[in-house]
Amino acid sequence: ITHLRPALDDRKATLFAAVLALYPLHWFFTFLYYTDVASLTAVLAMYLACLKKKYLFSALVNESP
């Protein structure tokens, strides 16, 4: 969160992360078969790695079995 919005202090960043984690649409799609929490985590990790210009790590996270 602080990488995406550097102006946020620690308290606001924690609140923002909690709001994102409790986002209602995320909880709805969590329980469906075709949307997986692990795949969402992998996509977000890949995106964060791209933002930090760590393209090799981003490509490794994107590898599918």
Side-chain angles (χ1 to χ4, degrees), residues 11-64:
R11 185 171 185 226
K12 286 184 181 180
T14 303
L15 179 65
F16 194 77
V19 167
L20 284 177
L22 297 174
Y23 191 61
L25 286 178
H26 173 71
W27 285 103
F28 172 73
F29 287 114
T30 297
F31 301 110
L32 294 177
Y33 176 73
Y34 61 90
T35 54
D36 187 16
V37 174
S39 66
L40 175 66
T41 304
V43 168
L44 291 176
M46 179 183 62
Y47 179 63
L48 182 62
C50 281
L51 288 177
K52 291 184 174 187
K53 299 186 186 313
K54 297 188 185 266
Y55 302 116
L56 182 61
F57 179 72
S58 177
L60 291 174
V61 171
N62 193 23
E63 285 294 317
S64 44

Side-chain angles (χ1 to χ4, degrees), residues 1-8 16 20 47-48 51:
I1 299 295
T2 56
H3 183 73
L4 297 174
R5 294 190 178 182
L8 291 178
F16 194 77
L20 284 177
Y47 179 63
L48 182 62
L51 288 177

